[in-house]
Amino acid sequence: MTIPLTPRIMDAICLEHAIPTKNGMILQIGADGGLRLAEANDLRGIRGITFLSLGTGMEDAVRDLAGSAVGWQDGIRTAGEAGPPSVRRTRALLYQFLRGIPPIALDRMVVHSLGQDVLGLGDAAAQANVIGLPVYAKAAGLRPHDPAAGPPVDRDRLLAFDREMRPTASLDDAYVVGVVPDRHWVTDPYADVSDEIAAEVLKHPYPFGRMVFDGDRVHLGLPAGLADRAYARPLRELGRPLTREDLSRTGTPVRGVDSYGELFARMAAPLPDAAARYALVAVDGLDAGTSVYLGVHDEHGVSFLDFGTGHTAVFPRARGGIEMAELAGDAEILGLLRDLDGSRTPEASTRRPLAAPPSGVRVHRQVGRDGTHAVELIGGVGSMPDRFLEQLTRAAGDGEQDVIVIGGGRPAARPSAQSTRGDRLRLEMRLFQYVVSGAVPTVVAWGDVDKPVLDILDRYHVPLVRRTTGAVGAGSLAGGGLSLNLDNLWEARGPEGSAVTVPPQKDITPALLRAATDRRRESKPTRPPERLLSYLSLPLNDTSAIRAELAEHGPALRELRPQIDGLGVDPDVFAAHAGFLQMTQRHPDLVDVGFGVHGAATAEERHERILSAVPGLVVKEPEARRTAFEDLASITLGTLDDGASRAILRAVGMRLDGEPQEKVEQEIFRHAAYLPREGRPNLLRILAAVAPQLPEEYRPVLHEVAIHVADCPDL
């Protein structure tokens, strides 16, 4: 039998020795490497870390690094181009070896240089970048920095260890210095592991000194896939982001920290008497603003938690200063943070004026001592009893809270009530407006709540109070020791489903609303520039404000338009806002039509205004005609959600572009939910009135579309 010697198999044969050492392994080619092997065996280890040393023959992998450009292809590191062919082959061999190591093991691997290698920090940093793993070296063997060799290594990439291999804050006193790579092989090795594996790993402290650079982000401490599991409860239940003001409430000194390595060392210092150490850490992210995280050192190791996102903290690569203040005491996390909350004093309101609500959102009543809060209604609220609305209004007023009431079916009659597309768009637009103003309301659901609505609430970290069909409690049910309350009860649901402390109540009370809102997490969506925020927060039915904004800032807003896609909201929420920006550039003659559509008092008036523009569109040149139909259809999206007009505009445009009749019919039928039988006579009347205004050759198109509207199936 003949084994073909492909380059990969040949390399594997050439790597003759991966020799275990006391704290890891040494890689070498050839048998002559006794001195290096002996030194590798004498290295003082770090619990949980595997030291990888490069022995005879393998040193070539990190030679001739000047100008080396490490490549990545399909997520796999490829050898840098620097050096002669033999160096590049050895480097490729090292990469092949590392690719075969599971990510959870690779995350714990460090390259430790040996004493025969005399190198500077810049050399160590270059090696780390090429290998993709941290490089540790004894401080005594490091050359002083040579300014002629380039700028010094970024202090944030350096770790210092004492003679016992414990993290230390001072590089001057370091016995070993570590340099982390600008890109590690793996960012979160536990992202996809099972809960059982994660639970086993969490039984032991994770090794200190884990710093992973990932583009413009830095990950410190416990990998996210572990920390998110270990601290799931406090991350969900604190309910608000930490702020710089919280540092002053700790009662301990606030001190500056020079680097991420020093921050890690201070958090990883031995725990003398306490079971854990906690500290608030403020990091100036420059343009991104200041973020405050909770540092934790406990039985799992060192972690940093972001209560604004509800996940493990991600630090900025480009930053300003770092400050930290320890939290006194060794209680569990939530207890300490609740004590911190209790020390907060009421502050003057910093809310920006709340924009007027979009069409379909009705202000029921202004509440609160100074009338600055509101109870607002969205959806099918006509069947809500007056008693419920009065009770809710009193509770919101007493609690000084903003409330949005969404409609729905009776829980007993329709346990899976479906929200409408338009109501969901209006809810998300209104929540966005609240976020821009600096406030987060509580949503109260009259009836059941379906998953699409819950997804919106979770996206904005908004609490919910909803009606249930009853609850089982203590008592007697057929002698079984349980009782069933058949009355409708009201229960609170914290942001993202987090638990609340108040049990379900028969009536909505200020205490129930507070149970949901006191532990809420303030919403932190991606924030675009203020100019774009101001425009997007304007409801399109406020046509005078939209007109003024476009007239004054149109060119600047058009430049910012691509950032709308990065907001993480439903794409249709701001589709009409984006449509107006595009229309002002491509078809300014249609802008007044758009304002007229959004200013219409009734659906019939809206349909007349938009379909009356069709005669002017059909006579344009084909490309201009196509984009004109697109722009006019786009402004029917958003909270207006006029699917009837949109279906007709798209169908007419498709037929004029030569699409077959079957596809045009499908487009109309796809919008059947917007074409109820009782609304079709008005649409057919408008189409019949508009058809004679078209050039004769285009009139059959409108007649065809009218037939499809009349034949549209009922949903």
Side-chain angles (χ1 to χ4, degrees):
M1 177 180 178
T2 302
I3 300 176
L5 292 182
T6 64
R8 184 178 180 89
I9 294 174
M10 291 175 66
D11 282 343
I13 292 173
C14 291
L15 182 56
E16 297 170 349
H17 298 287
I19 305 172
T21 63
K22 185 171 67 173
N23 293 301
M25 66 179 66
I26 184 170
L27 303 182
Q28 66 182 46
I29 300 174
D32 184 16
L35 289 177
R36 286 179 174 269
L37 177 58
E39 184 182 355
N41 264 317
D42 287 340
L43 293 175
R44 183 178 290 273
I46 302 176
R47 183 177 178 180
I49 290 291
T50 299
F51 282 156
L52 180 69
S53 299
L54 303 183
T56 302
M58 288 302 295
E59 322 99 302
D60 282 351
V62 290
R63 282 185 181 161
D64 302 311
L65 295 182
S68 179
V70 177
W72 290 80
Q73 183 174 0
D74 298 327
I76 297 176
R77 183 179 291 259
T78 58
E81 295 302 320
S86 61
V87 169
R88 297 201 299 273
R89 282 196 300 271
T90 305
R91 197 172 298 158
L93 178 59
L94 175 62
Y95 291 168
Q96 175 189 319
F97 172 78
L98 294 175
R99 283 198 299 271
I101 298 175
I104 58 177
L106 201 59
D107 194 58
R108 295 167 175 255
M109 187 168 282
V110 167
V111 175
H112 201 306
S113 68
L114 301 177
Q116 295 94 333
D117 305 319
V118 179
L119 68 164
L121 273 180
D123 301 319
Q127 289 186 11
N129 290 345
V130 166
I131 300 172
L133 296 174
V135 170
Y136 288 8
K138 291 181 179 178
L142 290 172
R143 293 195 308 266
H145 173 66
D146 180 4
V153 177
D154 183 353
R155 179 68 176 84
D156 277 345
R157 290 179 58 189
L158 302 181
L159 290 162
F161 299 89
D162 63 16
R163 189 173 289 272
E164 302 300 319
M165 293 308 291
R166 295 172 303 205
T168 179
S170 172
L171 281 173
D172 295 335
D173 301 328
Y175 178 72
V176 167
V177 175
V179 188
V180 300
D182 58 2
R183 183 173 178 180
H184 199 282
W185 276 84
V186 60
T187 301
D188 185 6
Y190 295 89
D192 299 318
V193 303
S194 67
D195 290 341
E196 290 77 13
I197 291 177
E200 283 300 315
V201 175
L202 287 169
K203 289 179 180 178
H204 306 282
Y206 209 79
F208 294 138
R210 181 181 184 273
M211 293 201 308
V212 174
F213 282 66
D214 178 25
D216 59 356
R217 304 178 298 175
V218 181
H219 307 268
L220 303 181
L222 209 61
L226 294 178
D228 284 353
R229 289 175 167 104
Y231 305 104
R233 181 169 173 247
L235 281 169
R236 289 172 67 87
E237 292 192 18
L238 174 62
R240 68 171 180 89
L242 298 167
T243 65
R244 182 179 288 278
E245 288 72 27
D246 287 321
L247 269 72
S248 62
R249 301 188 184 100
T250 61
T252 59
V254 177
R255 58 184 176 184
V257 178
D258 288 338
S259 68
Y260 287 141
E262 181 185 342
L263 172 63
F264 210 116
R266 294 195 182 281
M267 285 302 307
L271 302 172
D273 301 313
R277 171 181 294 112
Y278 304 105
L280 300 189
V281 179
V283 183
D284 177 9
L286 303 178
D287 292 342
T290 298
S291 297
V292 179
Y293 307 131
L294 177 70
V296 180
H297 177 185
D298 59 11
E299 71 272 17
H300 302 307
V302 172
S303 304
F304 296 91
L305 310 179
D306 182 355
F307 291 95
T309 63
H311 296 287
T312 309
V314 177
F315 290 81
R317 178 70 181 86
R319 64 166 183 84
I322 306 174
E323 293 179 313
M324 69 179 294
E326 290 197 24
L327 285 169
D330 60 354
E332 52 94 21
I333 295 176
L334 275 177
L336 286 173
L337 294 175
R338 283 168 180 158
D339 290 343
L340 190 68
D341 260 1
S343 69
R344 301 175 83 193
T345 55
E347 301 170 353
S349 174
T350 57
R351 288 179 54 171
R352 292 171 49 170
L354 180 64
S359 58
V361 179
R362 179 166 63 89
V363 178
H364 173 66
R365 193 171 303 169
Q366 300 293 139
V367 297
R369 286 188 300 272
D370 52 3
T372 56
H373 300 277
V375 174
E376 300 175 336
L377 311 178
I378 298 177
V381 296
S383 61
M384 296 181 186
D386 292 340
R387 178 181 175 277
F388 159 71
L389 288 176
E390 287 304 316
Q391 182 187 94
L392 176 60
T393 300
R394 282 197 305 272
D398 293 345
E400 297 284 327
Q401 297 182 46
D402 296 293
V403 172
I404 297 176
V405 186
I406 57 177
R410 294 176 56 186
R414 194 168 59 169
S416 299
Q418 296 296 308
S419 58
T420 69
R421 175 72 173 152
D423 285 345
R424 293 196 297 272
L425 292 170
R426 294 174 193 112
L427 174 62
E428 182 153 12
M429 173 66 179
R430 192 54 173 160
L431 292 179
F432 180 86
Q433 291 176 316
Y434 269 102
V435 168
V436 171
S437 77
V440 181
T442 297
V443 170
V444 175
W446 174 258
D448 211 349
V449 181
D450 57 9
K451 187 177 184 302
V453 170
L454 290 177
D455 289 344
I456 294 171
L457 300 185
D458 290 348
R459 184 152 61 239
Y460 287 84
H461 308 300
V462 171
L464 170 70
V465 172
R466 58 186 171 187
R467 195 169 56 155
T468 66
T469 55
V472 175
S476 174
L477 180 62
L482 296 174
S483 67
L484 181 64
N485 181 354
L486 296 178
D487 292 332
N488 286 324
L489 299 178
W490 294 93
E491 66 175 4
R493 173 188 186 268
E496 298 185 87
S498 56
V500 298
T501 57
V502 176
Q505 306 286 309
K506 186 174 181 180
D507 296 315
I508 293 182
T509 64
L512 187 64
L513 291 180
R514 280 195 297 272
T517 56
D518 278 355
R519 306 308 306 170
R520 71 173 174 232
R521 183 183 303 120
E522 296 170 19
S523 186
K524 289 179 64 177
T526 302
R527 291 186 73 88
E530 287 297 317
R531 173 56 51 210
L532 187 58
L533 269 182
S534 297
Y535 172 63
L536 295 179
S537 64
L538 291 174
L540 291 176
N541 52 302
D542 188 354
T543 55
S544 59
I546 292 289
R547 188 188 295 271
E549 191 78 5
L550 292 174
E552 186 173 357
H553 304 292
L557 288 170
R558 283 194 292 272
E559 289 185 8
L560 297 172
R561 180 176 175 269
Q563 297 191 35
I564 297 176
D565 296 333
L567 291 175
V569 303
D570 187 308
D572 283 352
V573 171
F574 298 119
H577 286 77
F580 268 109
L581 292 177
Q582 188 160 265
M583 184 183 287
T584 57
Q585 187 172 33
R586 296 201 304 191
H587 298 285
D589 56 310
L590 294 178
V591 172
D592 284 339
V593 175
F595 288 142
V597 169
H598 281 272
T602 65
E604 182 178 350
E605 182 182 353
R606 182 171 67 245
H607 296 151
E608 285 183 345
R609 292 184 179 182
I610 198 165
L611 297 178
S612 295
V614 170
L617 306 187
V618 299
V619 296
K620 292 177 179 283
E621 293 297 321
E623 179 60 21
R625 181 181 66 201
R626 182 185 62 78
T627 58
F629 271 102
E630 286 179 359
D631 287 357
L632 203 54
S634 71
I635 61 106
T636 68
L637 293 164
T639 56
L640 186 67
D641 196 35
D642 181 1
S645 296
R646 184 163 60 251
I648 293 172
L649 288 172
R650 287 178 175 172
V652 173
M654 289 170 62
R655 197 68 174 113
L656 292 173
D657 288 342
E659 293 286 355
Q661 186 173 342
E662 292 77 12
K663 280 195 173 183
V664 175
E665 180 185 65
Q666 290 171 8
E667 181 66 21
I668 292 291
F669 288 6
R670 193 167 64 87
H671 290 79
Y674 298 95
L675 297 166
R677 185 165 296 277
E678 63 272 16
R680 295 177 203 171
N682 278 327
L683 289 170
L684 296 174
R685 177 187 58 79
I686 295 169
L687 289 173
V690 170
Q693 303 173 37
L694 270 65
E696 190 167 350
E697 65 267 30
Y698 297 125
R699 292 175 190 172
V701 172
L702 224 55
H703 293 315
E704 281 184 22
V705 171
I707 292 172
H708 297 323
V709 170
D711 292 343
C712 188
D714 297 326
L715 287 186

